[in-house]
């Protein structure tokens, strides 16, 4: 039996230019600057900065005799398209909020020696034989940036044999490690949090509170970490005041001794806001960082080449090949400058819509004033695709009177309160956070009790939802929030 089927398929394919534009929109300011720099290096037909004697240049092309308007070469290049008087001066962008402050474009680095170098310098003050010196160097090189040796000693013994041709045993390595643990900062070279804290207490003046703290960490670390205070009182036969003093000592120790080393060399991450929102005379004012609107134009030399080709009476094969190359570069330059314009417009339109949608928050800074807002709300308002709004919000920052914020943080789902009104989940999280801050720390609220508190305040949510929000806020369970 012969079957005939007709399948209709509607598909939409993005052009390479559209894909490139989407990528440009997604880039935050610093990455965008790098992308512009790369394009300038790759395309000689594209130049940055403002044209010199621009008015004179514009007039020169507007007065050009146009006696070959319809002339094209075999490759159908319309030279006049590239010589029109309104193309060149318009191929640059300006931003009225660009200032000298925006000229600093380098990423600063912190100076100083590395944490590992700092430890190795201290090793020179200790006495080792040749074998121990190499073991000590290896141990220091194995300490992570937090200050811990997160390896089993037997693994260290094996690695010394395989990589350094040093044959030793665990006992020798442990003896060398004890000397390494005497280095600064206190607690360095520990293999666990318990050992790290005990190493720091060993250097403290042995007061009664310090000795009790060390005894608790030595004998009852598990009880202490789980805040089973009643059991600690019983096991160590102490009063609540004594326990409180010991806990205070422990809380002032450093769980990450390596992180406190100020000379630790690392790249200093600087967030560059893509937008700025200010309150001016009781209203909101939005500006785009000037770095997102670089001044760019088509190279005058490349335009002059086309002009020379247009005016020449004889057009050789070499000239035609040259003009093909020029056309390619000019096409690329024209598209890139237009893409920057579209990127700038898209960023401003999207952020302006977000700002107006969350106007109450930006005027007050109170997160409880954040309205429920999803990507589709903004996409529908500005007539763009959800994916475009996502690209703007996902990696961009805005400088507000309340600090620099990641734009995607303003988006949240909605829930119904007991009045049937839509409220932002961010609002509920803020109230949950405040409820935990105000709780009696001797009897912290369980998730079930927090659910009841929220219900009393008009937010009927389930206990499991409270647990989910609490975890998203990085707040521990009630037992771990308990204080003596």
């Amino acid at each position: 039996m012969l079957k005939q089927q007709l399948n209709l398929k509607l598909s939409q394919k993005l052009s390479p230019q559209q894909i490139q534009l989407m990528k440009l929109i997604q880039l935050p300011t610093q990455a965008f600057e790098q992308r512009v720099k790369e394009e300038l290096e790759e395309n000689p037909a594209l130049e940055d900065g403002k044209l010199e004697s621009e008015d004179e240049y514009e007039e020169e092309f507007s007065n050009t005799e146009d006696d070959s308007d319809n002339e094209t070469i075999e490759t159908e290049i319309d030279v006049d398209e590239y010589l029109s008087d309104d193309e060149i001066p318009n191929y640059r962008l300006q931003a009225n909020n660009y200032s000298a402050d925006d000229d600093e474009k380098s990423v600063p680095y912190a100076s100083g020696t590395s944490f590992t170098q700092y430890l190795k310098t201290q090793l020179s003050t200790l006495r080792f034989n040749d074998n121990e010196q190499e073991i000590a160097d290896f141990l220091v090189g194995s300490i992570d940036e937090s200050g811990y040796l997160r390896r089993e000693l037997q693994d260290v013994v094996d690695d010394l044999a395989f990589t350094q041709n040093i044959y030793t045993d665990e006992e020798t390595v442990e003896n060398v490690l004890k000397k390494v643990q005497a280095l600064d900062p206190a607690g360095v070279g520990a293999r666990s949090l318990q050992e790290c804290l005990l190493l720091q207490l060993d250097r403290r003046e042995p007061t009664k509170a310090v000795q009790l703290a060390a005894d608790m960490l030595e004998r009852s670390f598990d009880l202490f970490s789980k805040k089973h205070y009643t059991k600690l009182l019983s096991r160590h036969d102490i009063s609540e005041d004594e326990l409180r003093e010991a806990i205070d000592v422990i809380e002032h120790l450093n769980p990450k001794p390596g992180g406190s080393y100020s000379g630790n060399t690392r790249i200093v991450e600087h967030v560059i806001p893509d937008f700025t929102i200010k309150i001016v005379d009781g209203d909101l004012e939005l500006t785009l960082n000037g770095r997102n609107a670089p001044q760019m134009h088509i190279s005058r030399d490349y335009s002059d080449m086309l002009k020379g080709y247009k005016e020449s009476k004889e057009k050789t094969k070499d000239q035609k090949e040259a003009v093909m190359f020029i056309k390619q570069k000019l096409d690329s330059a024209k598209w890139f400058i237009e893409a920057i314009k579209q990127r700038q417009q898209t960023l401003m339109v999207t952020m302006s819509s977000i700002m107006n949608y969350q106007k109450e928050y930006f005027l007050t800074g109170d997160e409880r004033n954040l309205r429920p807002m999803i990507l589709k709300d903004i996409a529908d308002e500005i007539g763009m695709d959800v994916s475009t709004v996502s690209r703007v919000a996902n990696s961009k920052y805005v400088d507000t009177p309340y600090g620099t914020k990641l734009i995607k943080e303003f988006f949240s789902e909605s829930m119904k309160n007991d009045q049937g009104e839509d409220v932002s989940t961010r609002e509920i999280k803020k109230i949950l956070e405040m409820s935990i801050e105000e709780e009696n720390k001797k009897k912290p609220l369980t998730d079930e009790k927090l659910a009841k508190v929220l219900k009393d305040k008009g937010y009927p949510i389930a206990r499991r939802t409270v647990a989910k929000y609490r975890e998203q806020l990085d707040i521990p369970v009630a037992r771990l929030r308990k204080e003596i």
Side-chain angles (χ1 to χ4, degrees):
M1 185 177 178
L2 183 63
K3 271 191 175 181
Q4 281 189 327
Q5 287 185 334
L6 179 63
N7 291 326
L8 295 177
K9 186 177 180 183
L10 181 63
S11 62
Q12 182 181 16
K13 291 185 179 179
L14 293 176
S15 68
Q17 288 83 1
Q18 287 174 312
I19 294 172
Q20 289 298 316
L21 176 59
M22 290 298 102
K23 289 181 177 179
L24 281 180
I25 290 173
Q26 189 167 349
L27 294 176
T29 298
Q30 204 162 349
F32 172 69
E33 283 185 305
Q34 183 60 35
R35 176 69 181 85
V36 170
K37 183 180 177 182
E38 290 171 359
E39 190 70 20
L40 285 167
E41 290 173 352
E42 293 173 4
N43 190 350
L46 185 65
E47 294 182 351
D48 64 344
K50 193 173 182 178
L51 282 170
E52 295 182 5
S53 304
E54 185 177 290
D55 294 336
E56 181 183 330
Y57 187 32
E58 195 173 342
E59 183 180 351
E60 176 186 339
F61 278 97
S62 63
N63 293 332
T64 301
E65 291 185 6
D66 195 9
D67 54 1
S68 55
D69 285 339
N70 298 320
E71 182 178 3
T72 59
I73 62 176
E74 295 173 8
T75 51
E76 298 184 354
I77 300 174
D78 187 349
V79 175
D80 287 323
E81 179 186 345
Y82 297 92
L83 292 178
S84 59
D85 60 344
D86 61 347
E87 291 279 59
I88 296 167
N90 285 339
Y91 279 141
R92 69 191 194 283
L93 296 172
Q94 299 182 25
N96 58 11
N97 60 314
Y98 185 79
S99 67
D101 295 335
D102 288 326
D103 290 339
E104 180 56 53
K105 298 178 181 178
S106 60
V107 180
Y109 287 78
S111 60
T113 57
S114 71
F115 182 46
T116 301
Q117 290 171 329
Y118 174 64
L119 295 176
K120 286 190 173 182
T121 300
Q122 295 181 66
L123 284 180
S124 62
T125 64
L126 303 178
R127 289 188 177 183
F128 295 109
N129 60 38
D130 291 344
N131 198 49
E132 289 175 339
Q133 182 67 53
E134 292 192 50
I135 294 173
D137 284 337
F138 189 84
L139 286 172
V140 164
S142 301
I143 292 173
D144 67 16
E145 62 181 11
S146 296
Y148 285 82
L149 178 68
R150 302 188 190 275
R151 309 187 63 196
E152 296 294 333
L153 292 188
Q154 184 57 54
D155 293 338
V156 174
V157 170
D158 292 342
D159 278 356
L160 283 166
F162 286 124
T163 64
Q164 310 294 320
N165 288 325
I166 297 173
Y167 300 95
T168 184
D169 54 42
E170 284 190 53
E171 184 180 356
T172 303
V173 172
E174 185 153 16
N175 288 334
V176 175
L177 177 59
K178 286 179 180 177
K179 293 183 180 181
V180 170
Q181 289 174 341
L183 302 177
D184 288 327
V188 71
R191 289 159 288 179
S192 66
L193 175 60
Q194 181 183 19
E195 185 178 25
C196 177
L197 299 177
L198 285 169
L199 285 171
Q200 294 177 59
L201 289 175
D202 284 343
R203 301 198 194 183
R204 293 288 189 93
E205 182 184 347
T207 63
K208 186 177 180 181
V210 169
Q211 290 177 329
L212 175 58
D215 186 44
M216 280 183 4
L217 291 177
E218 187 78 52
R219 297 197 294 129
S220 311
F221 182 76
D222 190 53
L223 291 178
F224 170 76
S225 62
K226 293 179 179 177
K227 296 194 174 184
H228 290 319
Y229 295 139
T230 304
K231 293 181 181 179
L232 286 172
L233 292 171
S234 175
R235 174 178 288 190
H236 294 272
D237 192 22
I238 53 177
S239 66
E240 284 193 5
D241 287 341
E242 288 174 321
L243 178 59
R244 191 178 293 109
E245 290 174 4
I247 291 173
D248 185 62
V249 169
I250 296 171
E251 286 179 344
H252 283 83
L253 300 177
N254 188 353
K256 293 184 178 181
S260 64
Y261 176 60
S262 60
N264 199 355
T265 302
R266 68 187 74 180
I267 295 176
V268 180
E269 296 288 347
H270 283 269
V271 171
I272 299 177
D274 303 85
F275 307 90
T276 299
I277 292 178
K278 295 180 180 178
I279 301 175
V280 180
D281 297 330
D283 205 358
L284 297 174
E285 181 181 276
L286 173 68
T287 52
L288 178 66
N289 188 321
R291 299 185 186 188
N292 289 285
Q295 295 187 14
M296 306 189 75
H297 61 267
I298 298 294
S299 165
R300 179 169 182 170
D301 290 339
Y302 267 60
S303 296
D304 286 345
M305 288 182 199
L306 276 188
K307 182 182 177 186
Y309 172 82
K310 174 183 176 181
E311 292 175 347
S312 65
K313 295 181 180 179
E314 293 184 6
K315 297 177 173 57
T316 66
K317 181 180 179 182
D318 288 344
Q319 284 179 313
K320 292 176 182 178
E321 289 178 355
V323 86
M324 278 293 295
F325 174 80
I326 295 170
K327 174 187 180 297
Q328 179 188 0
K329 294 301 179 184
L330 286 175
D331 277 339
S332 179
K334 288 171 64 179
W335 172 83
F336 191 74
I337 295 173
E338 186 60 35
I340 289 176
K341 284 183 178 181
Q342 291 184 41
R343 176 184 184 274
Q344 183 182 1
Q345 292 167 357
T346 302
L347 294 185
M348 283 298 290
V349 167
T350 306
M351 189 62 221
S352 179
S353 177
I354 293 171
M355 180 184 73
N356 291 327
Y357 203 96
Q358 301 290 5
K359 186 172 183 178
E360 282 302 310
Y361 165 75
F362 287 115
L363 286 173
T364 63
D366 189 342
E367 289 190 4
R368 289 173 294 181
N369 287 333
L370 277 172
R371 295 172 58 192
M373 180 176 72
I374 58 175
L375 294 172
K376 191 174 185 301
D377 293 329
I378 301 302
D380 289 346
E381 188 171 313
I382 62 178
M384 292 186 182
D385 194 80
V386 169
S387 63
T388 303
V389 178
S390 175
R391 286 182 172 89
V392 173
N394 196 45
S395 57
K396 307 288 189 305
Y397 288 84
V398 57
D399 183 22
T400 75
Y402 324 105
T404 300
K405 310 286 186 180
L406 186 60
I407 295 171
K408 71 177 182 181
E409 292 179 358
F410 302 127
F411 289 83
S412 65
E413 297 176 350
S414 65
M415 293 186 68
K416 299 282 186 183
N417 63 12
D418 58 359
Q419 303 296 317
E421 300 168 333
D422 283 335
V423 293
S424 168
T425 53
R426 285 289 300 273
E427 176 183 339
I428 297 174
K429 287 180 184 178
K430 186 64 179 178
I431 293 170
L432 173 62
E433 191 174 24
M434 291 171 64
S435 299
I436 292 174
E437 286 176 1
E438 295 168 357
E439 71 185 0
N440 179 356
K441 294 303 179 185
K442 289 188 177 182
K443 293 182 179 180
L445 300 170
T446 63
D447 291 343
E448 190 172 348
K449 290 180 179 178
L450 285 169
K452 186 176 184 305
V453 169
L454 289 173
K455 184 178 181 181
D456 292 342
K457 292 185 177 182
Y459 304 94
I461 60 176
R463 182 202 59 79
R464 62 179 178 276
T465 308
V466 169
K468 181 178 76 171
Y469 290 168
R470 177 181 52 72
E471 289 171 1
Q472 290 174 352
L473 292 167
D474 202 23
I475 296 174
V477 296
R479 176 169 49 79
L480 296 181
R481 301 198 304 272
K482 186 178 180 181
E483 295 179 3
I484 188 69

